[in-house]
Structures are given as C-alpha cells and as structure tokens.
C-alpha cells in the first residue's frame, strides 16, 4: 500500500508501479495527458448519500430542543432542494459522478430510469419548506465527517449550501477507525456516507441502508446494518422481506420498484450521486473493468 496520493502518482508516472485503482480526482487530468500512462473510467454501483437521524425525538448536538427536525419530511425535502449536486460533481469530483435520486445505478438489478429523478436544486422552494416545517430561522446540528477524500470535501461544500436555508452544520471530522464505532452505536445526527451494491441487486442496498435496524421483529440479522439514520417504515420492511424470497421475477421487480419509490419519496436517505471510478495504469497494461470496481488481476495482460 502507498497511502499518499502524490507518492502513488509519482510511482505510476516513473514506472515504479504499473497500476493504480484509485487516482485522486485532482490528479486525473494530469494522468490523461501523460505519454506513458492511460486512464480508464466507468460507473461503479456505489451511491454517495446523506444519512440523517430520523429516530430520536430530540436531535442530538442541536439548538432545537424537544423535537427532531429531520423526522419532518419537509425538512429532508428542503435539504435535498438546497444541495446543488451538479456543482458538487463539477467542483469536488471534477466531473466524476452522476446525480441520482435512487440508491442504485443502471447496472444494478431493480433500477428504473423513470424513478431516478431527484428533487431539483431550488433554494426558494427549500426555504419555503423550512418555513412550513416551523424552521424559518433554521437550526444548528453537528455532522460527523470522515477525514478522507471525497467525504471531507463534500461535507465542506454541502455546509454553505445548507447554511443558505438556515441549517448550520458543525463538522465533526473523524478518522476512518473512529467514525464507524461511533455510528455503529447510533451516535450520529448526520453524515455523508457511501455504499455499493456488490451483489449488483437492489435488495442488498434496501436491506442494509433503509430497512429498520433488526427488521420488524428487531432480531433479524443484516437488516438495517447501515441504516445510520434509523429510518423505519413497516411497509418498506415488508417489501424487503418479500423481495428476499420472491421467485417470480415480475413480482420481484414490482416489489423492488415499490420499495425504491418509498426510498425516493420518503428520502429515507438523501442520495447525491453515483460514483464514476477511474483506473490508472502504464500503457503496456490491459486491465479489463468489472462492474463492481474490483480489479481481477489474473485477467490483466502485460504487453511490451
């Protein structure tokens, strides 16, 4: 492993290494123009999203007392309207992302293009919704933030966007090793997170990210393991359980559609974008891309 982005890029460009699966977005334009290096890009079945505490009756680390604004759909809609995802993709990701309203991309079973419509960037609408929800003056809240790219840069870019509708984010920047024990204990009010459908099927994301933790009985393993906002909807849980055992493809696809519609309309999580990955390699390397973004080295070919 080479942890430093600059050291990793220098090793690739000098020929010390042949392949780098994760070049930083700020380095990719330089790699494209390098005479001895090539860059391949493709989509990855991973979504970057906001998870908001929708469980507690009083929001932690906030100046709102006795209530939890994130439990109000209008506040979640206001947040979705206030975030200019195209600007995030352009400025933070250098174009390496695709806006989405769903937790899955087109390469994942269950995807429906007609459902994939996120709420548009609309500050006027966002402010109106905040007023209707009773938060015309906004509120403050602490957001946990991973200290790695792109999560740190995304959180820093989202903060002023939400400040425009009165939501002041206080970023609690944490290391990878510190943030997951914290959020696994349900000790978070909100954060930017990412997750991918490694099975290439929507059921896995529905089960992990938006199903009630522990399922309807509170004891089902795997249900809601990544549901950091602890959103809960019995109708969605019933669909997730049915999808897991439904053998009729048409009925299963319809259940997936219904579940994804709930995720989108309820903003169980707030999807931001699907990841576009890049692999960088020396020009004598042929590295075929797989949809799950995992390099399969025995398929690589090494030329002269």
């Amino acid at each position: 492993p080479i942890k430093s982005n600059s050291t990793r890029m220098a090793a690739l460009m000098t020929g010390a290494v042949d392949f780098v699966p994760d070049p930083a977005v700020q380095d990719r334009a330089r790699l494209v123009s390098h005479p001895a290096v090539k860059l391949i890009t493709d989509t990855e079945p991973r979504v970057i999203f906001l998870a908001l505490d929708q469980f507690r009756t009083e929001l932690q680390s906030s100046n709102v007392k006795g209530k939890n604004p994130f439990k109000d759909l209008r506040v979640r809609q206001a947040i979705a309207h206030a975030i200019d995802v195209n600007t995030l993709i352009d400025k933070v990701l250098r174009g390496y992302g695709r806006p989405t309203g769903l937790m899955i991309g087109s390469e994942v079973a269950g995807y429906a293009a007609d459902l994939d419509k996120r709420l548009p960037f609309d500050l006027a609408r966002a402010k109106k919704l905040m007023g209707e929800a009773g938060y015309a003056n906004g509120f403050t809240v602490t957001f946990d933030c991973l200290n790695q790219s792109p999560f740190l840069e995304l959180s820093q870019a989202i903060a002023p966007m939400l400040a425009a509708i009165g939501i002041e984010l206080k970023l609690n920047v944490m290391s990878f090793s510190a943030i997951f024990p914290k959020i696994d204990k349900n000790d978070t009010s909100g954060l930017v997170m990412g997750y991918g459908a490694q099975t290439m099927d929507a059921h896995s994301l529905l089960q992990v990210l938006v199903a009630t933790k522990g399922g309807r009985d509170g004891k089902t393993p795997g249900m809601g393991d990544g549901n950091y906002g602890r959103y809960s909807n019995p109708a969605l849980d019933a669909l997730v359980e049915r999808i897991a055992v439904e053998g009729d493809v048409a009925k299963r696809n319809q259940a997936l559609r219904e579940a994804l519609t709930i995720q989108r309309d309820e903003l169980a999580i707030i999807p931001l974008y699907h990841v576009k990955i890049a692999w960088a390699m020396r020009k004598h390397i042929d590295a075929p891309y797989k949809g799950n973004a995992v390099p399969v080295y025995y398929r690589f070919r090494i030329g002269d």
Side-chain angles (χ1 to χ4, degrees), residues 255-275:
L256 284 169
R257 183 180 180 86
E258 292 174 19
L260 289 167
T261 300
I262 292 173
Q263 169 260 303
R264 183 198 64 181
D265 294 347
E266 286 284 305
L267 293 172
I269 58 174
I270 301 179
L272 300 175
Y273 65 88
H274 289 300
V275 175

Side-chain angles (χ1 to χ4, degrees), residues 1-259:
I2 303 175
K3 294 182 179 181
S4 164
N5 283 331
S6 59
T7 305
R8 197 160 56 243
M9 291 304 97
L12 178 68
M13 288 187 284
T14 59
V17 301
D18 289 314
F19 176 79
V20 174
D22 60 344
V25 291
Q26 63 268 23
D27 293 325
R28 293 176 187 179
R30 184 160 54 108
L31 292 172
V32 168
S33 62
H34 194 282
V37 174
K38 62 183 178 182
L39 194 74
I40 64 171
T41 62
D42 213 315
T43 57
E44 180 184 2
R46 184 160 55 103
V47 64
I48 306 299
F49 60 92
L50 282 184
L52 306 173
D53 179 4
Q54 299 178 49
F55 179 80
R56 291 182 176 84
T57 54
E58 180 175 298
L59 187 61
Q60 285 184 317
S61 307
S62 172
N63 61 349
V64 177
K65 302 305 176 186
K67 293 189 294 184
N68 181 350
F70 294 152
K71 290 174 72 73
D72 192 317
L73 176 59
R74 293 169 296 185
V75 173
R76 302 197 299 276
Q77 289 172 333
I79 291 170
H81 278 301
I83 296 175
D84 186 347
V85 175
N86 288 321
T87 294
L88 292 180
I89 292 171
D90 182 46
K91 301 300 183 184
V92 177
L93 305 174
R94 311 296 203 277
Y96 287 89
R98 183 184 68 79
T100 185
L102 295 179
M103 61 173 65
I104 60 169
S106 58
E107 62 274 271
V108 177
Y111 178 80
D114 62 307
L115 294 181
D116 193 3
K117 293 177 174 60
R118 61 174 294 104
L119 293 177
F121 174 59
D122 188 338
L123 276 180
R125 177 63 178 154
K127 291 176 181 178
K128 186 173 186 294
L129 285 164
M130 288 288 286
E132 291 174 357
Y135 302 102
N137 296 322
F139 56 89
T140 64
V141 62
T142 297
F143 252 49
D144 294 316
C145 174
L146 188 61
N147 66 353
Q148 296 181 4
S149 182
F151 300 100
L152 177 59
E153 295 88 347
L154 286 169
S155 299
Q156 291 171 334
I158 287 170
M161 294 178 181
L162 296 189
I165 61 170
I167 300 176
E168 180 186 350
L169 298 187
K170 297 181 178 179
L171 298 183
N172 176 33
V173 182
M174 306 179 70
S175 68
F176 192 92
S177 60
I179 197 168
F180 280 98
K182 184 177 189 293
I183 60 181
D184 283 342
K185 293 187 294 185
N186 303 316
D187 181 20
T188 188
S189 294
L191 73 162
V192 180
M193 187 49 66
Y195 196 87
Q198 294 300 315
T199 63
M200 307 302 283
D201 188 279
H203 177 261
S204 63
L205 267 76
L206 289 163
Q207 176 176 278
V208 171
L209 296 183
V210 294
T212 300
K213 281 208 169 187
R216 289 186 289 176
D217 60 2
K219 301 175 182 178
T220 305
M223 291 285 276
D225 282 352
N227 185 349
Y228 300 120
R230 287 191 286 173
Y231 168 86
S232 182
N233 183 326
L236 181 60
D237 292 338
L239 285 166
V240 172
E241 292 170 7
R242 179 150 63 91
I243 292 162
V245 297
E246 180 58 69
D248 185 295
V249 173
K251 291 180 180 178
R252 188 178 191 273
N253 286 340
Q254 180 58 35
L256 284 169
R257 183 180 180 86
E258 292 174 19

Side-chain angles (χ1 to χ4, degrees), residues 266-286:
E266 286 284 305
L267 293 172
I269 58 174
I270 301 179
L272 300 175
Y273 65 88
H274 289 300
V275 175
K276 287 185 180 179
I277 65 100
W279 286 355
M281 64 205 77
R282 303 288 291 182
K283 286 193 172 177
H284 66 281
I285 301 295
D286 178 23

